[in-house]
Amino acid sequence: MMEAMTCSHVRALPASVVPESTEGCVDCLALGERNWAHLRMCLSCGHVACCDSSPHRHATAHFRSSQHPVMRSVEPGENWRWCYVDGAIV
């Protein structure tokens, strides 16, 4: 198993963030689609988006447009976080 590192981006996150949606990928739903593999949540603003295994890759698109560095999985039983800037599990 890959060991998580600590990065400055995690330390700069808000203490808590509320998911923007509990229905699924906000961007896919806006397109009238429900075809995603896994969901991720931005830990800066709560935006819920689909992963890179999904057709639209909205979580990465959110990072590129917002520069919010850290997201986490919102899949049941998963609690890992990914820092786009450092390219690592944190």
Side-chain angles (χ1 to χ4, degrees):
M1 182 170 164
M2 185 182 275
E3 186 174 324
M5 64 174 259
T6 302
C7 74
S8 61
H9 304 104
V10 169
R11 291 189 294 272
L13 292 172
S16 66
V17 64
V18 177
E20 182 178 21
S21 171
T22 58
E23 299 298 314
C25 174
V26 173
D27 303 302
C28 284
L29 292 170
L31 295 171
E33 298 182 15
R34 298 186 70 82
N35 185 26
W36 53 79
H38 302 284
L39 296 173
R40 311 297 183 229
M41 183 179 77
C42 174
L43 292 177
S44 293
C45 70
H47 184 75
V48 176
C50 56
C51 70
D52 283 355
S53 295
S54 301
H56 295 292
R57 303 175 179 176
H58 286 126
T60 297
H62 176 72
F63 162 69
R64 289 185 181 137
S65 67
S66 68
Q67 293 301 300
H68 293 164
V70 184
M71 65 84 175
R72 74 168 177 86
S73 173
V74 291
E75 295 300 314
E78 295 183 354
N79 63 1
W80 56 269
R81 301 172 297 187
W82 176 259
C83 178
Y84 286 99
V85 176
D86 292 327
I89 292 175
V90 295

